[in-house]
Amino acid sequence: MASSLPPLPAVEGTEPSRSVLDSFRIAIAKRISEALPLSIEQVYPGVDYGKKGEDFTVALPRFRLPGKVDDLAKQVIEKFQPDEWVQSITHDKAFLHFKVNTNNMMREVLNQVHSLTHDTPSVPEYGTNASGKGKKVIIEYSSPNIAKSFHVGHLRSTIIGAFLSNLYKACGWEVVSFNYLGDWGTQFGMIATGYEKYGSQEELEKDAIHHLFDVYVKVNKDAEADPNVKLEAAKWFKRMEDGDEEALKNWRVWREMSVRKYEEEYERLNVKFDVYTGESQVGKKWMDKALERLDEMGLISDSEGAKLVDLEKWKLGKAVVRKKDGTSIYLTRDIGGAIERAEKYKFDKMIYVVSSQQDLHLAQFFKVLELMEFPWAKDLVHINYGLVQGMSTRKGTVVFLDQIIKEAASVMHDQMKTNEDKYNAIEDPVTTSREIGITGVKIQDMAAKRINNYTFNWSRMLSFEGDTGPYLQYAHVRLASIGRKNPELIPLPPPSQIDTSTLAEYAQAREIAFLLGTYPDVVKTALKTHEPSGVVTFSFRLAHAISSAWDAVIVKGEPDIEKARAKMFLYECARDVLAASMRLLSIRPLERM
């Protein structure tokens, strides 16, 4: 929808057609550049969001102009006349604060939210940008070990990885999401040895992940009592590495059944992978090539039959690239896998979402690729995160993804039953309680900076009070209910026929509209920091602003139809943006709860 406001100069790096507040910033930069010896391009980066009731703030000292700050401020203020873009300016020490034109800001923001949410070819686009157009990123995350427990570290990697995948797509990148399974290594020799003794086809078909884990636990107990078990397992894995069909047959079935089970569980978490790969898929050819290249470049040394790369001068210790029995090791497989992906996908960036406990491993891995002189080694990024303490079910320890999901759903289900009327109004309480439970898990995980460790707390996570997942879902549900409670206003007329100026008398409405306008910047900042916490903070700020408006900006019973429509339009736009921020965090917004 075209703007009715006067034209402004174009500034590189801005996108007013997707982020309308860029226009207001340009208008402010233009004002300053007309009063001081600066270009609009020089001023624009200094136009920051204001604090405590100010829309935008400019810190004059950042421009390093000659003369006193007070004199510079005076020059700007003397030339100032309110116009369609900026309504007032105030001087406070080193800062100039700007308030934008309320009517125009509210109309432009709400119209843009509406058109980029509802008048787009397929999916809602408000908050998206084209900064990554033509670029490809591989994001590797989750990566559980088949036949071992899916622990909380994998859950964190899954939640953060899914967010990054959505974020890069929102910024125009082509995203290929990888789940690199731990599906190889000596533990499979252990399972193969144990399966002969403890395996059951029936249990395997019922739940491959749980059954193989049980076998693994039992055979490990045997190995503690009898060292021969480990020798058998090592022999078995050697046969697998050598491509012995008999040794690989069962393993293939186990892998396929485990992946199927995981796909179901990821679907519940609203997570989808483009590629399921694993250590087993890294071709021997690529690992051999990697070792050959390291050898040719004189980077390998021998130590009691094992092969090492010395990284001491970068304070990264010595990296083992082949064990003395000749079998491959994580690092070699990671190197081989990276080379293979670079050849196949020609990526512009590859991101590994792996816990901070693996910082050294990733640093060694990236350094070895750099020493091997691969030009794309500089495009590898490690997104790390802290540990979760204290995650166990109310009955004991959580070790599997489905247990985490079931536990969250059951705690939430119990909570919902306490309000009988509301509970009876929900069509599918089981699915609803699962969604709220999963939202609680995800929000608790993403609320703080990802590098922080945090203590998992069921009661805090599932509370409707304070900044929790259920509170966010509740805010969305409440917005969704406005249309149901005021059916006479639905459908709203086109935005051009809604008089948003009637909202100007409500400070709460202005605050909501301005916040909605900041969302495209929240997305851009998240791409720079790779932090979901900024998006979570924005979602809560918006939920609080909406909550503060309920008692003042009232739709039900508003006698003036024009005012009622404008208020309804404001809440509908707020709902669209809250839903967009939740979807970015891989949360499915609920309509009822």
Tab-separated table of all heavy atoms in Angstrom, residues 546-583:
chain	number	residue	atom	x	y	z
A	546	ILE	N	0.238	-4.970	25.110
A	546	ILE	CA	-1.148	-5.334	24.793
A	546	ILE	C	-1.948	-5.454	26.084
A	546	ILE	O	-3.069	-4.956	26.209
A	546	ILE	CB	-1.178	-6.659	23.989
A	546	ILE	CG1	-0.532	-6.450	22.611
A	546	ILE	CG2	-2.590	-7.196	23.857
A	546	ILE	CD1	-0.062	-7.732	21.941
A	547	SER	N	-1.347	-6.105	27.070
A	547	SER	CA	-2.011	-6.309	28.358
A	547	SER	C	-2.350	-4.960	29.010
A	547	SER	O	-3.419	-4.782	29.587
A	547	SER	CB	-1.081	-7.139	29.244
A	547	SER	OG	-1.665	-7.345	30.478
A	548	SER	N	-1.442	-3.982	28.889
A	548	SER	CA	-1.688	-2.653	29.478
A	548	SER	C	-2.799	-1.908	28.742
A	548	SER	O	-3.381	-0.976	29.278
A	548	SER	CB	-0.429	-1.779	29.386
A	548	SER	OG	0.641	-2.434	29.984
A	549	ALA	N	-3.045	-2.307	27.480
A	549	ALA	CA	-4.041	-1.572	26.681
A	549	ALA	C	-5.468	-2.072	26.892
A	549	ALA	O	-6.428	-1.337	26.631
A	549	ALA	CB	-3.679	-1.669	25.201
A	550	TRP	N	-5.624	-3.329	27.371
A	550	TRP	CA	-6.978	-3.919	27.444
A	550	TRP	C	-8.012	-3.008	28.124
A	550	TRP	O	-9.131	-2.879	27.659
A	550	TRP	CB	-6.959	-5.246	28.226
A	550	TRP	CG	-6.344	-6.416	27.518
A	550	TRP	CD1	-5.382	-7.246	28.013
A	550	TRP	CD2	-6.630	-6.917	26.204
A	550	TRP	NE1	-5.038	-8.218	27.102
A	550	TRP	CE2	-5.793	-8.037	25.975
A	550	TRP	CE3	-7.497	-6.525	25.193
A	550	TRP	CZ2	-5.807	-8.777	24.796
A	550	TRP	CZ3	-7.510	-7.258	24.002
A	550	TRP	CH2	-6.678	-8.359	23.817
A	551	ASP	N	-7.623	-2.403	29.244
A	551	ASP	CA	-8.614	-1.641	30.023
A	551	ASP	C	-8.840	-0.230	29.494
A	551	ASP	O	-9.790	0.442	29.893
A	551	ASP	CB	-8.191	-1.559	31.503
A	551	ASP	CG	-8.194	-2.935	32.146
A	551	ASP	OD1	-8.944	-3.808	31.651
A	551	ASP	OD2	-7.430	-3.155	33.112
A	552	ALA	N	-7.951	0.227	28.610
A	552	ALA	CA	-8.101	1.599	28.096
A	552	ALA	C	-8.642	1.581	26.657
A	552	ALA	O	-9.568	2.320	26.318
A	552	ALA	CB	-6.757	2.313	28.147
A	553	VAL	N	-8.030	0.729	25.823
A	553	VAL	CA	-8.418	0.686	24.398
A	553	VAL	C	-9.445	-0.445	24.242
A	553	VAL	O	-9.120	-1.552	23.829
A	553	VAL	CB	-7.174	0.464	23.502
A	553	VAL	CG1	-7.526	0.643	22.035
A	553	VAL	CG2	-6.061	1.429	23.894
A	554	ILE	N	-10.699	-0.145	24.604
A	554	ILE	CA	-11.718	-1.210	24.697
A	554	ILE	C	-12.527	-1.294	23.405
A	554	ILE	O	-13.010	-0.282	22.894
A	554	ILE	CB	-12.658	-0.939	25.902
A	554	ILE	CG1	-11.824	-0.901	27.196
A	554	ILE	CG2	-13.747	-2.002	26.001
A	554	ILE	CD1	-12.549	-0.291	28.376
A	555	VAL	N	-12.657	-2.520	22.894
A	555	VAL	CA	-13.418	-2.730	21.655
A	555	VAL	C	-14.892	-2.996	21.985
A	555	VAL	O	-15.799	-2.368	21.444
A	555	VAL	CB	-12.837	-3.920	20.842
A	555	VAL	CG1	-13.638	-4.131	19.558
A	555	VAL	CG2	-11.366	-3.689	20.526
A	556	LYS	N	-15.121	-3.954	22.883
A	556	LYS	CA	-16.491	-4.388	23.212
A	556	LYS	C	-17.288	-3.226	23.805
A	556	LYS	O	-16.870	-2.613	24.782
A	556	LYS	CB	-16.421	-5.539	24.221
A	556	LYS	CG	-17.753	-6.207	24.481
A	556	LYS	CD	-17.860	-7.495	23.657
A	556	LYS	CE	-19.205	-8.140	23.823
A	556	LYS	NZ	-19.784	-8.553	22.555
A	557	GLY	N	-18.391	-2.928	23.161
A	557	GLY	CA	-19.253	-1.873	23.705
A	557	GLY	C	-18.875	-0.465	23.253
A	557	GLY	O	-19.490	0.508	23.687
A	558	GLU	N	-17.857	-0.337	22.374
A	558	GLU	CA	-17.490	1.000	21.857
A	558	GLU	C	-18.616	1.473	20.926
A	558	GLU	O	-18.863	0.852	19.887
A	558	GLU	CB	-16.151	0.906	21.104
A	558	GLU	CG	-15.760	2.117	20.281
A	558	GLU	CD	-15.664	3.408	21.081
A	558	GLU	OE1	-14.720	3.556	21.888
A	558	GLU	OE2	-16.559	4.270	20.904
A	559	PRO	N	-19.348	2.574	21.303
A	559	PRO	CA	-20.514	2.966	20.506
A	559	PRO	C	-20.157	3.540	19.123
A	559	PRO	O	-20.911	3.400	18.176
A	559	PRO	CB	-21.191	4.042	21.379
A	559	PRO	CG	-20.112	4.539	22.289
A	559	PRO	CD	-19.141	3.419	22.478
A	560	ASP	N	-18.962	4.149	19.012
A	560	ASP	CA	-18.548	4.764	17.744
A	560	ASP	C	-17.936	3.689	16.848
A	560	ASP	O	-16.849	3.183	17.119
A	560	ASP	CB	-17.525	5.878	18.066
A	560	ASP	CG	-17.038	6.589	16.818
A	560	ASP	OD1	-17.042	5.979	15.730
A	560	ASP	OD2	-16.633	7.762	16.941
A	561	ILE	N	-18.631	3.343	15.745
A	561	ILE	CA	-18.192	2.227	14.889
A	561	ILE	C	-16.802	2.485	14.294
A	561	ILE	O	-15.986	1.571	14.164
A	561	ILE	CB	-19.242	1.915	13.780
A	561	ILE	CG1	-18.882	0.654	12.984
A	561	ILE	CG2	-19.429	3.091	12.832
A	561	ILE	CD1	-19.124	-0.638	13.672
A	562	GLU	N	-16.503	3.763	13.943
A	562	GLU	CA	-15.181	4.077	13.373
A	562	GLU	C	-14.073	3.776	14.390
A	562	GLU	O	-13.039	3.191	14.073
A	562	GLU	CB	-15.103	5.561	12.969
A	562	GLU	CG	-15.884	5.902	11.725
A	562	GLU	CD	-15.469	5.056	10.519
A	562	GLU	OE1	-14.247	4.872	10.306
A	562	GLU	OE2	-16.357	4.555	9.806
A	563	LYS	N	-14.316	4.197	15.644
A	563	LYS	CA	-13.328	3.950	16.711
A	563	LYS	C	-13.178	2.453	16.964
A	563	LYS	O	-12.076	1.941	17.160
A	563	LYS	CB	-13.774	4.634	18.009
A	563	LYS	CG	-13.325	6.058	18.147
A	563	LYS	CD	-13.614	6.543	19.552
A	563	LYS	CE	-12.954	7.884	19.831
A	563	LYS	NZ	-13.157	8.318	21.202
A	564	ALA	N	-14.317	1.752	16.997
A	564	ALA	CA	-14.285	0.306	17.269
A	564	ALA	C	-13.451	-0.408	16.208
A	564	ALA	O	-12.649	-1.292	16.514
A	564	ALA	CB	-15.702	-0.251	17.308
A	565	ARG	N	-13.641	-0.020	14.941
A	565	ARG	CA	-12.874	-0.656	13.847
A	565	ARG	C	-11.378	-0.366	13.972
A	565	ARG	O	-10.552	-1.242	13.750
A	565	ARG	CB	-13.376	-0.144	12.493
A	565	ARG	CG	-14.656	-0.820	12.069
A	565	ARG	CD	-15.108	-0.273	10.733
A	565	ARG	NE	-16.308	-0.940	10.298
A	565	ARG	CZ	-17.219	-0.382	9.510
A	565	ARG	NH1	-17.061	0.870	9.096
A	565	ARG	NH2	-18.289	-1.064	9.129
A	566	ALA	N	-11.047	0.872	14.299
A	566	ALA	CA	-9.623	1.239	14.427
A	566	ALA	C	-8.961	0.437	15.554
A	566	ALA	O	-7.840	-0.066	15.410
A	566	ALA	CB	-9.484	2.734	14.683
A	567	LYS	N	-9.672	0.300	16.669
A	567	LYS	CA	-9.113	-0.481	17.801
A	567	LYS	C	-8.943	-1.947	17.395
A	567	LYS	O	-7.935	-2.581	17.697
A	567	LYS	CB	-10.035	-0.382	19.013
A	567	LYS	CG	-10.069	0.998	19.670
A	567	LYS	CD	-11.162	1.024	20.725
A	567	LYS	CE	-11.221	2.353	21.469
A	567	LYS	NZ	-12.292	2.347	22.482
A	568	MET	N	-9.978	-2.465	16.726
A	568	MET	CA	-9.932	-3.862	16.271
A	568	MET	C	-8.735	-4.064	15.330
A	568	MET	O	-8.012	-5.051	15.418
A	568	MET	CB	-11.246	-4.148	15.525
A	568	MET	CG	-11.381	-5.560	15.054
A	568	MET	SD	-11.898	-6.601	16.420
A	568	MET	CE	-11.611	-8.172	15.695
A	569	PHE	N	-8.528	-3.089	14.426
A	569	PHE	CA	-7.422	-3.147	13.464
A	569	PHE	C	-6.075	-3.181	14.201
A	569	PHE	O	-5.186	-3.962	13.873
A	569	PHE	CB	-7.521	-1.932	12.531
A	569	PHE	CG	-6.517	-1.912	11.401
A	569	PHE	CD1	-6.219	-3.057	10.671
A	569	PHE	CD2	-5.871	-0.723	11.051
A	569	PHE	CE1	-5.297	-3.023	9.614
A	569	PHE	CE2	-4.950	-0.678	10.002
A	569	PHE	CZ	-4.665	-1.836	9.292
A	570	LEU	N	-5.963	-2.332	15.234
A	570	LEU	CA	-4.732	-2.308	16.037
A	570	LEU	C	-4.461	-3.691	16.647
A	570	LEU	O	-3.351	-4.214	16.554
A	570	LEU	CB	-4.858	-1.264	17.146
A	570	LEU	CG	-3.702	-1.236	18.165
A	570	LEU	CD1	-2.470	-0.560	17.575
A	570	LEU	CD2	-4.114	-0.506	19.448
A	571	TYR	N	-5.483	-4.273	17.264
A	571	TYR	CA	-5.293	-5.581	17.922
A	571	TYR	C	-5.021	-6.703	16.902
A	571	TYR	O	-4.245	-7.606	17.171
A	571	TYR	CB	-6.506	-5.929	18.791
A	571	TYR	CG	-6.576	-5.141	20.087
A	571	TYR	CD1	-7.736	-4.446	20.448
A	571	TYR	CD2	-5.482	-5.089	20.955
A	571	TYR	CE1	-7.805	-3.729	21.648
A	571	TYR	CE2	-5.549	-4.372	22.152
A	571	TYR	CZ	-6.709	-3.700	22.493
A	571	TYR	OH	-6.763	-2.987	23.677
A	572	GLU	N	-5.674	-6.612	15.736
A	572	GLU	CA	-5.417	-7.632	14.701
A	572	GLU	C	-3.959	-7.565	14.230
A	572	GLU	O	-3.306	-8.585	14.032
A	572	GLU	CB	-6.355	-7.417	13.495
A	572	GLU	CG	-7.799	-7.800	13.776
A	572	GLU	CD	-8.012	-9.308	13.814
A	572	GLU	OE1	-7.841	-9.965	12.780
A	572	GLU	OE2	-8.330	-9.846	14.903
A	573	CYS	N	-3.457	-6.329	14.061
A	573	CYS	CA	-2.046	-6.168	13.644
A	573	CYS	C	-1.099	-6.653	14.737
A	573	CYS	O	-0.069	-7.286	14.452
A	573	CYS	CB	-1.748	-4.711	13.302
A	573	CYS	SG	-2.538	-4.163	11.779
A	574	ALA	N	-1.456	-6.366	15.994
A	574	ALA	CA	-0.628	-6.828	17.117
A	574	ALA	C	-0.578	-8.358	17.132
A	574	ALA	O	0.474	-8.963	17.345
A	574	ALA	CB	-1.187	-6.307	18.435
A	575	ARG	N	-1.730	-8.957	16.859
A	575	ARG	CA	-1.782	-10.427	16.824
A	575	ARG	C	-0.903	-10.969	15.692
A	575	ARG	O	-0.176	-11.954	15.869
A	575	ARG	CB	-3.234	-10.842	16.613
A	575	ARG	CG	-3.418	-12.322	16.405
A	575	ARG	CD	-4.818	-12.558	15.873
A	575	ARG	NE	-5.030	-13.935	15.504
A	575	ARG	CZ	-6.167	-14.368	15.010
A	575	ARG	NH1	-7.180	-13.545	14.838
A	575	ARG	NH2	-6.305	-15.629	14.683
A	576	ASP	N	-0.955	-10.314	14.511
A	576	ASP	CA	-0.140	-10.775	13.378
A	576	ASP	C	1.350	-10.740	13.708
A	576	ASP	O	2.099	-11.656	13.364
A	576	ASP	CB	-0.394	-9.888	12.138
A	576	ASP	CG	-1.776	-10.131	11.532
A	576	ASP	OD1	-2.335	-11.224	11.741
A	576	ASP	OD2	-2.297	-9.215	10.858
A	577	VAL	N	1.777	-9.673	14.385
A	577	VAL	CA	3.215	-9.535	14.675
A	577	VAL	C	3.630	-10.459	15.819
A	577	VAL	O	4.710	-11.073	15.781
A	577	VAL	CB	3.589	-8.062	14.969
A	577	VAL	CG1	5.061	-7.940	15.339
A	577	VAL	CG2	3.276	-7.187	13.750
A	578	LEU	N	2.776	-10.594	16.843
A	578	LEU	CA	3.098	-11.531	17.926
A	578	LEU	C	3.219	-12.948	17.356
A	578	LEU	O	4.153	-13.685	17.677
A	578	LEU	CB	2.030	-11.474	19.022
A	578	LEU	CG	2.312	-12.336	20.263
A	578	LEU	CD1	3.611	-11.923	20.953
A	578	LEU	CD2	1.160	-12.248	21.274
A	579	ALA	N	2.302	-13.311	16.462
A	579	ALA	CA	2.350	-14.643	15.835
A	579	ALA	C	3.635	-14.809	15.015
A	579	ALA	O	4.274	-15.856	15.044
A	579	ALA	CB	1.125	-14.856	14.947
A	580	ALA	N	4.032	-13.745	14.299
A	580	ALA	CA	5.261	-13.819	13.481
A	580	ALA	C	6.478	-14.048	14.369
A	580	ALA	O	7.355	-14.871	14.062
A	580	ALA	CB	5.431	-12.528	12.678
A	581	SER	N	6.537	-13.343	15.507
A	581	SER	CA	7.704	-13.507	16.393
A	581	SER	C	7.708	-14.904	17.020
A	581	SER	O	8.758	-15.510	17.207
A	581	SER	CB	7.726	-12.415	17.474
A	581	SER	OG	6.700	-12.625	18.427
A	582	MET	N	6.511	-15.443	17.312
A	582	MET	CA	6.436	-16.796	17.879
A	582	MET	C	6.853	-17.844	16.843
A	582	MET	O	7.616	-18.755	17.139
A	582	MET	CB	5.013	-17.075	18.387
A	582	MET	CG	4.668	-16.280	19.645
A	582	MET	SD	2.894	-16.295	20.043
A	582	MET	CE	2.730	-17.904	20.839
A	583	ARG	N	6.380	-17.662	15.606
A	583	ARG	CA	6.765	-18.630	14.551
A	583	ARG	C	8.267	-18.598	14.307
A	583	ARG	O	8.887	-19.625	14.052
A	583	ARG	CB	6.005	-18.340	13.253
A	583	ARG	CG	4.547	-18.770	13.292
A	583	ARG	CD	3.927	-18.775	11.897
A	583	ARG	NE	3.953	-17.452	11.302
A	583	ARG	CZ	2.962	-16.561	11.399
A	583	ARG	NH1	1.865	-16.859	12.058
A	583	ARG	NH2	3.077	-15.379	10.831
